[in-house]
Amino acid sequence: MSQLRKDVITGEWVIIAQEREGRPYQFGEKDNIDECPFCPGNEHMTPGETLRINDKNGWQLRVVPNKFPAVCENNDSVDDQIFFYTICEGTGRHEIVIETPLHNKGLHELGQQKISDVFIACRKRFQELSQLEGIEYVQIFKNCGKNGGASLAHSHSQIVALSFVPRRIQKEMRGAKKYYDRKQKCVFCDLIKEEIVFEKRIIFQNEHFIVATVFAPKFAYETIFLPKIHEHDFSKVDDKVIYSFAEAFEKTMAMMTKVLGDFPYNLILHTAPYNSEENYYHWHVELVPRVSYHAGFEIATEACVNSMFPEEAARRIRG
């Protein structure tokens, strides 16, 4: 059972999920495929699938419930006041997207079609989980490598259906709404135009996406994937746009790997809540290489110190 606890001063929610202490951890040990719960032949080590993609060689992608979830499906979502603290059960769903049967292949190495299959599967689960009672937001993300927060080496992504909208998304949506009210335009669409004119932060672009280093990055080499077609809700994105994103991700990761080696990272989807009316927002994907770290100053002030100008990071990535 997990709990949501609300900071009485800032209003931020924190998830306490003690069961996650028991999750398997492969880094720092010999990587044993026989004991990997995500490898073919070990399907009995995971809960039953919610989605599967097969071909003539067997399964190519599986989506399963997380055995060590941050939020749990069967909790009673009841607020409880203890003095002036607010606690409620961490109700929701937590799923794992096993992206490939190949133990030693990263997502960016799977090819454009299989990368797009992963995100099409994520979109399908996003749509289905968003419609569950009590779910306010579905967060899709990928942790890669020890410093990226992964506990297993086998390539996978995660989907967490939450009973609240994350503070980061709320802040972005408020900022986008404020800009729209002032200019009657989408701030992300204007950002795309500005980056195309400026050029120096752009890493890659195709028909549907620009990929650029972030103007005010919290981490070195922080990168954003911005769809050129305005859409606020990821669930409404069609397959050709996802296929185009797969190309942008594959090419960007290939360039970054030449500079950074086999680097840990986080890949994070930002979207408005499912079927929301906030069309002033603009969905996008954030790639955060975990090659720099935050310390006491950042924790104390929430003002991040970055040793790499984004223009220089883009120049290095472009080669």
Side-chain angles (χ1 to χ4, degrees):
M1 182 178 71
S2 60
Q3 278 188 354
L4 297 179
R5 295 194 174 196
K6 194 173 192 178
D7 187 298
V8 70
I9 300 169
T10 66
E12 293 178 315
W13 286 104
V14 173
I15 299 173
I16 309 292
Q18 191 167 325
E19 292 85 352
R20 287 182 63 75
E21 274 194 316
R23 60 185 177 156
Y25 189 81
Q26 289 182 337
F27 297 100
E29 302 175 2
K30 186 176 180 180
D31 195 1
N32 189 341
I33 293 177
D34 293 337
E35 296 177 3
C36 174
F38 298 160
C39 280
N42 294 341
E43 290 83 0
H44 63 282
M45 298 172 69
T46 66
E49 298 157 0
T50 56
L51 188 151
R52 173 194 279 241
I53 295 177
N54 290 321
D55 69 9
K56 63 182 180 180
N57 298 313
W59 67 264
Q60 297 302 303
L61 178 148
R62 300 172 69 229
V63 181
V64 299
N66 194 324
K67 285 180 70 175
F68 306 94
V71 291
C72 305
E73 180 179 0
N74 296 321
N75 291 341
D76 296 322
S77 185
V78 179
D79 286 353
D80 187 14
Q81 295 288 337
I82 302 177
F83 299 105
F84 58 94
Y85 293 116
T86 301
I87 297 175
C88 64
E89 302 295 349
T91 304
R93 294 271 193 96
H94 191 167
E95 296 186 341
I96 299 291
V97 182
I98 306 169
E99 299 160 348
T100 173
L102 303 174
H103 184 79
N104 294 313
K105 282 285 187 180
L107 176 61
H108 64 287
E109 299 174 300
L110 298 181
Q112 189 175 352
Q113 183 58 61
K114 290 189 176 181
I115 295 170
S116 63
D117 286 345
V118 169
F119 286 92
I120 288 169
C122 287
R123 183 191 60 194
K124 181 175 176 59
R125 292 307 296 151
F126 179 94
Q127 294 166 341
E128 293 171 352
L129 291 170
S130 294
Q131 297 178 66
L132 297 178
E133 184 177 358
I135 297 303
E136 296 292 330
Y137 192 81
V138 174
Q139 181 65 66
I140 297 170
F141 65 98
K142 177 178 176 64
N143 299 334
C144 181
K146 177 182 176 181
N147 290 340
S151 61
L152 294 175
H154 194 124
S155 190
H156 63 285
S157 299
Q158 301 184 57
I159 306 173
V160 183
L162 297 165
S163 58
F164 61 95
V165 179
R167 183 181 176 91
R168 171 77 183 275
I169 298 299
Q170 290 182 28
K171 288 172 69 176
E172 282 191 354
M173 293 178 70
R174 283 197 299 268
K177 178 69 161 58
K178 186 176 179 180
Y179 188 92
Y180 184 83
D181 288 345
R182 189 170 71 252
K183 297 198 172 185
Q184 297 301 300
K185 293 190 292 184
C186 167
V187 64
F188 292 94
C189 290
D190 278 359
L191 190 156
I192 291 169
K193 293 174 185 175
E194 179 67 23
E195 292 296 342
I196 289 173
V197 170
F198 183 69
E199 291 186 333
K200 291 183 180 179
R201 283 183 293 272
I202 289 183
I203 298 167
F204 176 84
Q205 64 175 311
N206 59 18
E207 180 183 359
H208 295 107
F209 280 86
I210 72 159
V211 185
T213 51
V214 174
F215 173 75
K218 295 180 176 65
F219 293 88
Y221 297 96
E222 185 177 349
T223 302
I224 189 169
F225 295 74
L226 284 161
K228 294 177 180 178
I229 300 171
H230 179 82
E231 177 56 72
H232 67 292
D233 185 347
F234 175 69
S235 70
K236 295 181 171 64
V237 176
D238 64 32
D239 288 3
K240 69 180 181 181
V241 174
I242 291 179
Y243 192 71
S244 189
F245 169 76
E247 180 193 24
F249 176 71
E250 180 183 35
K251 297 289 178 61
T252 298
M253 287 294 294
M255 288 188 285
M256 281 192 167
T257 301
K258 288 181 179 179
V259 178
L260 301 175
D262 188 14
F263 63 96
Y265 66 87
N266 301 111
L267 191 68
I268 305 161
L269 172 72
H270 296 242
T271 177
Y274 177 75
N275 273 349
S276 63
E277 298 300 321
E278 288 86 351
N279 59 8
Y280 51 81
Y281 192 65
H282 193 121
W283 81 275
H284 56 281
V285 176
E286 180 182 16
L287 172 64
V288 184
R290 301 304 297 271
V291 295
S292 61
Y293 305 95
H294 290 169
F297 179 81
E298 288 83 357
I299 295 170
T301 64
E302 293 190 352
C304 296
V305 178
N306 190 340
S307 61
M308 173 73 67
F309 279 106
E311 297 79 14
E312 173 63 13
R315 186 193 68 78
R316 293 186 186 186
I317 294 166
R318 287 193 304 265

mmCIF file of all heavy atoms in Angstrom, residues 6 40 49 56 106 208 256 259:
data_model
loop_
_atom_site.group_PDB
_atom_site.id
_atom_site.type_symbol
_atom_site.label_atom_id
_atom_site.label_comp_id
_atom_site.label_asym_id
_atom_site.label_seq_id
_atom_site.Cartn_x
_atom_site.Cartn_y
_atom_site.Cartn_z
ATOM 1 N N LYS A 6 0.820 15.290 1.654
ATOM 2 C CA LYS A 6 0.860 16.656 1.131
ATOM 3 C C LYS A 6 1.677 17.552 2.062
ATOM 4 O O LYS A 6 1.409 17.620 3.266
ATOM 5 C CB LYS A 6 -0.563 17.204 0.993
ATOM 6 C CG LYS A 6 -0.672 18.467 0.153
ATOM 7 C CD LYS A 6 -2.127 18.817 -0.049
ATOM 8 C CE LYS A 6 -2.285 19.895 -1.104
ATOM 9 N NZ LYS A 6 -3.715 20.207 -1.349
ATOM 10 N N PRO A 40 12.547 -13.195 -22.459
ATOM 11 C CA PRO A 40 11.717 -14.324 -22.885
ATOM 12 C C PRO A 40 12.046 -15.574 -22.073
ATOM 13 O O PRO A 40 13.208 -15.853 -21.773
ATOM 14 C CB PRO A 40 12.090 -14.493 -24.363
ATOM 15 C CG PRO A 40 12.583 -13.152 -24.787
ATOM 16 C CD PRO A 40 13.284 -12.578 -23.592
ATOM 17 N N GLU A 49 -0.149 -9.808 -18.532
ATOM 18 C CA GLU A 49 -0.025 -8.674 -19.459
ATOM 19 C C GLU A 49 -1.318 -7.876 -19.590
ATOM 20 O O GLU A 49 -2.409 -8.422 -19.517
ATOM 21 C CB GLU A 49 0.366 -9.202 -20.844
ATOM 22 C CG GLU A 49 1.702 -9.912 -20.874
ATOM 23 C CD GLU A 49 1.808 -10.878 -22.038
ATOM 24 O OE1 GLU A 49 0.847 -10.979 -22.805
ATOM 25 O OE2 GLU A 49 2.862 -11.538 -22.156
ATOM 26 N N LYS A 56 6.187 -13.312 -35.820
ATOM 27 C CA LYS A 56 6.399 -14.744 -36.038
ATOM 28 C C LYS A 56 7.437 -15.331 -35.085
ATOM 29 O O LYS A 56 7.498 -16.552 -34.894
ATOM 30 C CB LYS A 56 6.826 -14.985 -37.488
ATOM 31 C CG LYS A 56 8.154 -14.328 -37.857
ATOM 32 C CD LYS A 56 8.495 -14.563 -39.314
ATOM 33 C CE LYS A 56 9.828 -13.898 -39.675
ATOM 34 N NZ LYS A 56 10.178 -14.110 -41.101
ATOM 35 N N GLY A 106 19.298 -1.161 -26.316
ATOM 36 C CA GLY A 106 18.616 0.039 -25.854
ATOM 37 C C GLY A 106 17.478 0.414 -26.782
ATOM 38 O O GLY A 106 17.436 0.004 -27.945
ATOM 39 N N HIS A 208 7.802 16.526 -38.789
ATOM 40 C CA HIS A 208 6.886 16.748 -37.671
ATOM 41 C C HIS A 208 7.536 17.236 -36.386
ATOM 42 O O HIS A 208 6.824 17.620 -35.451
ATOM 43 C CB HIS A 208 6.113 15.457 -37.366
ATOM 44 C CG HIS A 208 5.199 15.035 -38.475
ATOM 45 N ND1 HIS A 208 5.466 13.956 -39.282
ATOM 46 C CD2 HIS A 208 4.029 15.558 -38.911
ATOM 47 C CE1 HIS A 208 4.486 13.828 -40.164
ATOM 48 N NE2 HIS A 208 3.617 14.788 -39.966
ATOM 49 N N MET A 256 24.078 11.834 -29.764
ATOM 50 C CA MET A 256 24.478 12.035 -28.371
ATOM 51 C C MET A 256 25.432 10.943 -27.895
ATOM 52 O O MET A 256 26.367 11.216 -27.131
ATOM 53 C CB MET A 256 23.244 12.064 -27.464
ATOM 54 C CG MET A 256 22.497 13.372 -27.461
ATOM 55 S SD MET A 256 21.300 13.413 -26.120
ATOM 56 C CE MET A 256 20.878 15.147 -26.099
ATOM 57 N N VAL A 259 28.996 11.536 -28.518
ATOM 58 C CA VAL A 259 29.613 12.547 -27.652
ATOM 59 C C VAL A 259 29.747 12.044 -26.216
ATOM 60 O O VAL A 259 30.792 12.222 -25.581
ATOM 61 C CB VAL A 259 28.780 13.849 -27.665
ATOM 62 C CG1 VAL A 259 29.376 14.892 -26.731
ATOM 63 C CG2 VAL A 259 28.677 14.405 -29.073
#
